[in-house]
């Protein structure tokens, strides 16, 4: 986070302070970090994970528990 803040500060050009910069706020739009990463990264070669195999566990039932008879 600090690295991104420094990079943003270096990109800004010094000038007359506006109402937002005078209060310590940067007047730039907020960009989603996820959207920024997805735009910059190529698609991965691996398929998306699936939970279909876990459905098989729901079909199996446990055998009845044996109760010791005394």
């Amino acid at each position: 986070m600090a690295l991104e803040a420094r990079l943003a500060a270096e990109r800004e050009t010094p000038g007359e302070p506006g109402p937002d910069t005078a209060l310590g706020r940067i007047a730039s739009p907020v960009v989603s970090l996820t959207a920024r990463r997805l735009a910059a990264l190529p698609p991965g070669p691996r398929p998306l994970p699936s939970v279909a195999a876990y459905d098989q566990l729901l079909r199996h039932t446990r055998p009845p528990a044996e109760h010791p008879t005394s």
Side-chain angles (χ1 to χ4, degrees):
M1 193 74 163
L3 178 62
E4 290 296 324
R6 286 187 201 117
L7 291 173
E10 289 174 1
R11 285 192 296 259
E12 290 183 16
T13 56
E16 291 294 318
D20 285 340
T21 56
L23 297 174
R25 289 185 260 152
I26 299 173
S28 63
V30 176
V31 179
S32 165
L33 183 58
T34 303
R36 183 175 173 188
R37 285 181 180 163
L38 290 176
L41 295 175
R46 296 186 296 179
L48 292 175
S50 173
V51 294
Y54 291 102
D55 290 339
Q56 295 174 6
L57 297 173
L58 298 174
R59 293 185 203 129
H60 296 289
T61 58
R62 285 194 223 175
E66 294 182 23
H67 295 289
T69 56
S70 316

